Amino acid sequence: CTLCGECFKTCPHDNMALRLRPWGSDLAVEGKPRADEAWLALVLLAMTGFHGLTMTPSWPRWVAGLEAAWGVGYWTAFSVLMALMLGLPAALYAVLVKAAQAQSAGRAYGELFVRYAYALLPIALFYHLAHNAEHFLMEGPKLLRLVSDPLGWGWNLFGTACWRPAPRITLEGLWVVQLALVVVGHVYSLWVTDRAARRLAPAGAFKAQLPMLAAMVSFSVF
């Protein structure tokens, strides 16, 4: 759904409705879990984490180290490390789901793998928001300058082409905003995990969710 509204105009029974609900409430209900959505959640988490990792000082050193150790080119070393970093979250998740299965009497591994994956979405989403908070708060004000000369042709349509806006936040303040967003996503993921565990293993929900809680903490800290 992209909220285009076409369903309201085309429904022959005129029974469409739009209702507001708390954010994330759809993740905490029984629903109809799907394997493709579960893998999408894992891919989103891995990709957002990998994107941030490549912007740290450690990443160039790792690539250079692999180039020297294996005698390969930059793109080969980059691709190998990328595949490793994208595969590690999925591997870690798969192992922890197996541990959770031991406390979920009678539940199939595939069912647990799919249902618990939805708890990863808040971490992936809020990390994505935290990552792009820098662009929004530090670079966003530049739009007021660029709107006067959108094509770079020397225009000054609104008198702001020469304006040099300061960032809307300090680096220290940005760090606090980013940390707060990561914590919010982490708390949402813990909540979704708890709700899922209570449905999947009502007799031992606390023990059943311990492996997934470890996954939430690992991903958030990373």
Side-chain angles (χ1 to χ4, degrees):
C1 179
T2 58
L3 293 177
C4 68
E6 286 297 319
C7 54
F8 285 88
K9 295 187 290 184
T10 58
C11 179
H13 305 292
D14 195 27
N15 66 349
M16 299 300 298
L18 182 64
R19 294 188 176 93
L20 297 179
R21 61 185 178 186
W23 189 90
S25 60
D26 55 328
L27 298 177
V29 298
E30 184 71 19
K32 297 179 180 179
R34 294 171 36 160
D36 56 342
E37 291 181 343
W39 279 105
L40 177 61
L42 282 168
V43 169
L44 288 174
L45 178 64
M47 285 298 296
T48 53
F50 171 73
H51 186 209
L53 180 62
T54 59
M55 301 175 71
T56 66
S58 299
W59 180 254
R61 293 197 297 266
W62 293 356
V63 174
L66 190 61
E67 287 182 74
W70 287 13
V72 297
Y74 171 81
W75 288 112
T76 299
F78 185 99
S79 299
V80 170
L81 286 175
M82 178 179 177
L84 180 63
M85 293 303 148
L86 294 182
L88 277 177
L92 174 62
Y93 174 75
V95 170
L96 291 173
V97 170
K98 189 66 177 178
Q101 186 186 20
Q103 303 297 332
S104 305
R107 294 287 185 172
Y109 177 82
E111 179 186 13
L112 298 177
F113 187 96
V114 171
R115 288 190 178 275
Y116 279 128
Y118 286 86
L120 303 177
L121 284 172
I123 291 180
L125 171 62
F126 276 87
Y127 172 76
H128 185 70
L129 294 176
H131 178 87
N132 286 285
E134 177 184 6
H135 302 300
F136 181 75
L137 296 172
M138 304 289 284
E139 303 169 10
K142 296 178 182 178
L143 291 175
L144 296 177
R145 172 172 58 88
L146 296 174
V147 73
S148 284
D149 187 16
L151 302 178
W153 290 352
W155 297 348
N156 194 3
L157 299 176
F158 305 104
T160 61
C162 297
W163 187 46
R164 295 296 182 268
R168 305 304 299 173
I169 194 171
T170 64
L171 287 176
E172 292 77 11
L174 175 65
W175 183 85
V176 172
V177 170
Q178 292 177 318
L179 180 62
L181 287 169
V182 170
V183 169
V184 169
H186 177 73
V187 171
Y188 259 115
S189 287
L190 296 182
W191 174 64
V192 176
T193 300
D194 178 70
R195 296 293 294 270
R198 292 180 186 277
R199 290 195 305 270
L200 295 169
F206 178 72
K207 290 184 178 180
Q209 64 182 292
L210 286 179
M212 298 315 302
L213 295 182
M216 303 300 106
V217 171
S218 299
F219 290 143
S220 295
V221 169
F222 173 76

